[in-house]
């Protein structure tokens, strides 16, 4: 691959020209990496709900044309000036958030919210010079969350690249670069259920099922899945969920239902929907004295969380998490090792696979609510 180092690479990318319109496979030019940047050859990428949300332009200042994609696995093609811990040929996961290793957050053992590289959905350019590395006929195509993996080659800040075990199959572990690690870490790193404890998971999409998988790994005795879609319940059993509650089946608030069936409340709860009412229920369903609720889902910008202060004074704890409290460069390699030692099962999250030329099918599956993760194979 080194023969392309320092040169512009022409390759295929799936470009979003306008909101909600099918992506178009175009030939793009990808500039060489600048200081503290790496250029990656993407081998597998997957579609996450965040890509769809911003492609639909529901949540932000719309920015087009743009190359989406942020769950992926690839190989380093070349590195820019100042990059010392990566070299061409390394197997890596690009990540939508980063770890500069210099700021107060990176130096803290408690935080993974890097000042320099934390997620920025509005920025469509590289930090180094405020320009895009993608272009078509000299016109810039914008980046997305610093990764833009719906391209055969992409340029990423070195702090947003996790070097992983080269024996790990990239077509499987690529899904660990976003949603699965978010849910898994919310349980293992933040909720920290003890062996034999009871855990409630609100929302049984990919992130919620990853949170359930974390509870299964931790040895929880009861894992209660809460979802408005009863069709998700059978599938969730594969992820360790032992029983199910559909709030629509009950006249009383779901937190009261859960308290009744758990003798006062669960030990831990993890909320993965982003619905503020589910967040309140997830907090109020934990046991007084020791219960911990963890919020993962991203709420509507105008949402307000309301609960009676006595719920806190009675020794319940409310926590939030971002990317499962994993530091991308330091911690993701160990998550990949959990898969390699068969502690973490990843295959069951992958329900579809399409060639890059059919990337719009992946969007169709997600918009219909079919399956969990769709792998997009860059090399057909």
């Amino acid at each position: 691959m080194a023969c392309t180092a320092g040169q512009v690479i022409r390759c295929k990318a799936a470009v979003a020209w306008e909101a909600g319109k099918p992506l178009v496979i175009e030939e793009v030019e990808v500039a060489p990496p600048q200081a503290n940047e790496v250029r990656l050859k993407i081998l597998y990428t997957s579609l996450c709900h965040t890509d769809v949300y911003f492609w639909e332009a529901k949540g932000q200042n719309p920015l087009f044309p743009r190359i989406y994609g942020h769950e992926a696995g690839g190989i380093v093609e070349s590195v820019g000036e100042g990059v010392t811990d990566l070299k061409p040929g390394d197997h890596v996961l690009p990540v939508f958030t980063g770890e500069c290793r210099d700021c107060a957050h990176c130096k803290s053992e408690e935080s993974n919210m890097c000042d320099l590289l934390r997620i920025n959905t509005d920025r469509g350019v590289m930090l180094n010079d405020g320009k895009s590395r993608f272009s078509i006929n000299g016109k810039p195509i914008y980046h997305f969350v610093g990764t833009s993996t719906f391209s055969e080659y992409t340029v990423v800040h070195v702090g947003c690249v996790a070097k992983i075990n080269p024996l790990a199959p990239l077509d499987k572990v690529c899904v660990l670069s976003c949603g699965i690690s978010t849910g898994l870490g919310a349980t293992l790193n933040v909720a920290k259920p003890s062996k034999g404890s009871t855990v409630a998971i609100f929302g049984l999409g990919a992130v919620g099922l990853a949170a359930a998988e974390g509870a299964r790994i931790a040895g929880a005795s009861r894992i209660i899945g809460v979802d408005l879609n009863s069709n998700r319940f059978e599938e969730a059993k594969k992820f360790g969920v032992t029983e199910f509650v559909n709030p629509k089946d009950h006249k009383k608030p779901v937190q009261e239902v859960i308290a009744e069936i758990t003798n006062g409340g669960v030990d831990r709860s993890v909320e993965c929907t982003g619905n503020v009412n589910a967040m309140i229920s997830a907090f109020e369903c934990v046991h007084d004295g020791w219960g911990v609720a963890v919020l993962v889902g991203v709420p509507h910008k105008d949402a307000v969380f309301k609960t009676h202060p006595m719920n806190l004074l009675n020794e319940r704890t409310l926590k939030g998490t971002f990317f499962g409290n994993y530091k991308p460069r330091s911690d993701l390699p160990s998550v990949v090792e959990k898969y390699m030692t068969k502690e973490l099962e990843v295959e069951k999250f992958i329900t579809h696979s399409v060639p890059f030329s059919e990337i719009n099918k992946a969007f169709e599956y997600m918009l219909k609510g079919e399956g969990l993760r769709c792998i997009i194979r860059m090399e057909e």
Side-chain angles (χ1 to χ4, degrees), residues 350-370:
I350 300 166
T351 51
H352 297 84
S353 175
V354 296
F356 189 37
S357 59
E358 296 174 20
I359 187 171
N360 288 304
K361 270 194 185 167
F363 280 75
E364 288 168 25
Y365 291 138
M366 186 157 281
L367 290 168
K368 287 180 191 165
E370 290 179 20

Side-chain angles (χ1 to χ4, degrees), residues 246-260:
N246 186 332
K248 289 194 290 194
D249 295 342
H250 301 273
K251 288 192 174 130
K252 60 179 73 168
V254 69
Q255 53 267 48
E256 291 180 24
V257 175
I258 291 170
E260 279 179 15

Side-chain angles (χ1 to χ4, degrees), residues 283-284 305-316:
F283 174 56
E284 294 183 354
F305 185 100
K306 291 180 181 173
T307 192
H308 197 283
M310 282 309 298
N311 290 323
L312 286 155
L313 293 169
N314 287 337
E315 299 177 10
R316 291 178 184 86

Side-chain angles (χ1 to χ4, degrees), residues 335-353:
V335 180
V336 170
E337 291 311 310
K338 279 189 197 299
Y339 167 74
M340 296 299 281
T341 58
K342 297 188 165 51
E343 184 184 0
L344 167 64
E345 299 167 14
V346 165
E347 283 86 354
K348 58 194 177 188
F349 289 97
I350 300 166
T351 51
H352 297 84
S353 175

Side-chain angles (χ1 to χ4, degrees), residues 147-376:
T147 51
S148 292
T149 60
F150 295 164
S151 174
E152 291 175 323
Y153 288 86
T154 187
V155 177
V156 182
H157 191 285
V158 65
C160 300
V161 179
K163 180 182 174 181
I164 63 163
N165 184 340
L167 298 177
L170 289 171
D171 61 332
K172 306 290 191 299
V173 298
C174 63
V175 298
L176 296 177
S177 64
C178 177
I180 310 308
S181 294
T182 295
L184 184 76
T187 302
L188 294 178
N189 298 337
V190 188
K192 297 181 180 171
S194 57
K195 195 171 171 45
S197 60
T198 55
V199 181
I201 308 290
F202 285 72
L204 299 175
V207 175
L209 292 174
E213 178 81 351
R216 180 189 70 77
I217 290 170
S221 62
R222 293 175 72 185
I223 303 173
I224 302 165
V226 183
D227 203 291
L228 296 169
N229 181 356
S230 297
N231 295 333
R232 289 178 155 179
F233 293 170
E234 196 56 40
E235 178 80 7
K237 290 178 184 173
K238 296 181 197 169
F239 300 84
V241 177
T242 56
E243 54 209 280
F244 305 95
V245 176
N246 186 332
K248 289 194 290 194
D249 295 342
H250 301 273
K251 288 192 174 130
K252 60 179 73 168
V254 69
Q255 53 267 48
E256 291 180 24
V257 175
I258 291 170
E260 279 179 15
I261 62 173
T262 55
N263 195 24
V266 289
D267 301 312
R268 301 289 186 265
S269 72
V270 185
E271 194 289 322
C272 302
T273 71
N275 178 296
V276 72
N277 294 317
M279 292 180 177
I280 294 165
S281 298
F283 174 56
E284 294 183 354
C285 81
V286 299
H287 206 289
D288 59 4
W290 61 79
V292 178
V294 178
L295 306 185
V296 180
V298 180
H300 185 273
K301 63 181 190 325
D302 299 324
V304 178
F305 185 100
K306 291 180 181 173
T307 192
H308 197 283
M310 282 309 298
N311 290 323
L312 286 155
L313 293 169
N314 287 337
E315 299 177 10
R316 291 178 184 86
T317 302
L318 179 64
K319 291 185 169 186
T321 177
F322 168 70
F323 191 50
N325 279 38
Y326 287 119
K327 292 179 187 275
R329 298 160 89 180
S330 302
D331 298 333
L332 266 194
S334 65
V335 180
V336 170
E337 291 311 310
K338 279 189 197 299
Y339 167 74
M340 296 299 281
T341 58
K342 297 188 165 51
E343 184 184 0
L344 167 64
E345 299 167 14
V346 165
E347 283 86 354
K348 58 194 177 188
F349 289 97
I350 300 166
T351 51
H352 297 84
S353 175
V354 296
F356 189 37
S357 59
E358 296 174 20
I359 187 171
N360 288 304
K361 270 194 185 167
F363 280 75
E364 288 168 25
Y365 291 138
M366 186 157 281
L367 290 168
K368 287 180 191 165
E370 290 179 20
L372 295 171
R373 280 293 183 266
C374 178
I375 300 294
I376 297 151

